[in-house]
Amino acid sequence: MKEMISENLKQVHQNIQSACLRGGRSPADITLIAVSKTKPLEELFEAYGCGERNFGENKVQEILQKAPQMPEDTCFHMIGHLQRNKVRQVLPHVKMIHSVDSVRLAREIEQEAERLGKTVDILLEVNVAGEESKFGFSLEDTMDGVLQISRFPHIRICGLMTIAPFVENPELNRPVFQKLFQLYVDIKHKNIDNVNMSVLSMGMTGDYQVAVEEGATMIRVGTGIFGVR
């Protein structure tokens, strides 16, 4: 298992380099989130030993179990749907919440962040493809969400995130990534207070190379590192 994770990580980083070359970008601008959901702690330690520090989890319970047992410089990212009643539990343990999909959820995060006396970094989740099975703001509603949430003093909007459709051919998701990148640029140009638009989290195991070519700054790779769940 150790050798597999190490080899997989080498391959992922090589693929990132190649995609950056094609897109005229620097690999230093891409943060890899190792999606460790359902994976045992020893596999997180293997990835940590290979230099990875950013891990993505879908469930609050897994973050609560794993975070206290990992080294202090490990950063956990909440990438799954977050229920409002779980906000209090998860906030002390995460570097960033990628999946803020409503103003109501953001308000809950604001209240809890104020109680903790901290500022929380978030991304707004955008359902670019309009899939009924997915959470997130529609493309049309995202700007309004940004304007409302930017008024919360204990939240910092760092960018946008999307979960593209599951497709056999990653090229099919290129328009999805292009639309999100355009929205990201549009919001950035408005120079809204408390919104820095430095993070574009898009692309997973099947399509992260296309996402990097189209401007992703964070990619979320699970199967490509840890193998099939």
Side-chain angles (χ1 to χ4, degrees):
M1 180 58 72
K2 183 176 182 180
E3 288 73 20
M4 184 197 84
I5 290 173
S6 172
E7 286 304 310
N8 286 349
L9 278 166
K10 278 183 198 163
Q11 187 62 58
V12 170
H13 284 291
Q14 283 175 5
N15 290 345
I16 291 169
Q17 283 192 314
S18 300
C20 284
L21 205 59
R22 292 192 296 273
R25 304 182 64 202
S26 165
D29 295 335
I30 314 297
T31 299
L32 172 62
I33 310 290
V35 179
S36 47
K37 63 178 185 180
T38 76
K39 293 297 176 182
L41 206 58
E42 58 259 37
E43 294 190 24
L44 277 74
F45 273 107
E46 298 293 357
Y48 182 94
C50 295
E52 300 309 316
R53 294 295 179 268
N54 290 284
F55 293 86
E57 292 285 344
N58 275 46
K59 291 190 164 59
V60 170
Q61 198 55 42
E62 285 200 64
I63 293 174
L64 298 182
Q65 288 166 356
K66 294 172 182 176
Q69 301 186 71
M70 291 295 290
E72 272 190 22
D73 62 343
T74 307
C75 299
F76 279 90
H77 297 251
M78 179 64 192
I79 61 173
H81 177 60
L82 178 58
Q83 295 169 304
R84 296 199 308 282
N85 63 359
K86 298 282 180 67
V87 168
R88 176 170 290 198
Q89 292 175 282
V90 82
L91 276 201
H93 301 288
V94 290
K95 180 181 183 183
M96 180 177 281
I97 299 173
H98 290 226
S99 48
V100 175
D101 55 18
S102 70
V103 175
R104 286 175 74 196
L105 173 58
R107 189 172 289 114
E108 191 73 35
I109 294 169
E110 163 65 25
Q111 290 169 358
E112 195 53 34
E114 182 178 20
R115 192 182 73 81
L116 292 171
K118 67 186 287 187
T119 301
V120 177
D121 288 342
I122 69 162
L123 306 179
L124 297 199
E125 181 173 355
V126 185
N127 186 356
V128 178
E131 292 182 279
E132 285 190 16
S133 61
K134 301 255 173 76
F135 295 95
F137 291 89
S138 67
L139 281 169
E140 299 73 32
D141 292 340
T142 303
M143 184 65 79
D144 184 54
V146 168
L147 291 171
Q148 289 189 63
I149 296 168
S150 68
R151 300 188 190 110
F152 296 156
H154 298 88
I155 285 180
R156 185 165 40 228
I157 300 176
C158 297
L160 305 176
M161 177 272 246
T162 196
I163 301 171
F166 180 77
V167 290
E168 291 292 329
N169 177 5
E171 283 297 325
L172 294 174
N173 279 336
R174 193 177 292 275
V176 171
F177 300 142
Q178 289 171 338
K179 283 175 187 170
L180 193 68
F181 180 78
Q182 190 55 56
L183 179 61
Y184 167 81
V185 170
D186 290 347
I187 296 170
K188 189 184 278 197
H189 283 164
K190 293 191 185 300
N191 291 318
I192 303 162
D193 286 347
N194 203 24
V195 179
N196 66 21
M197 284 292 136
S198 59
V199 177
L200 193 53
S201 173
M202 59 186 193
M204 301 196 294
T205 294
D207 55 18
Y208 68 85
Q209 294 182 69
V210 174
V212 168
E213 290 169 16
E214 295 300 337
T217 69
M218 275 187 183
I219 58 172
R220 309 177 305 272
V221 180
T223 304
I225 295 170
F226 298 105
V228 179
R229 284 183 172 73

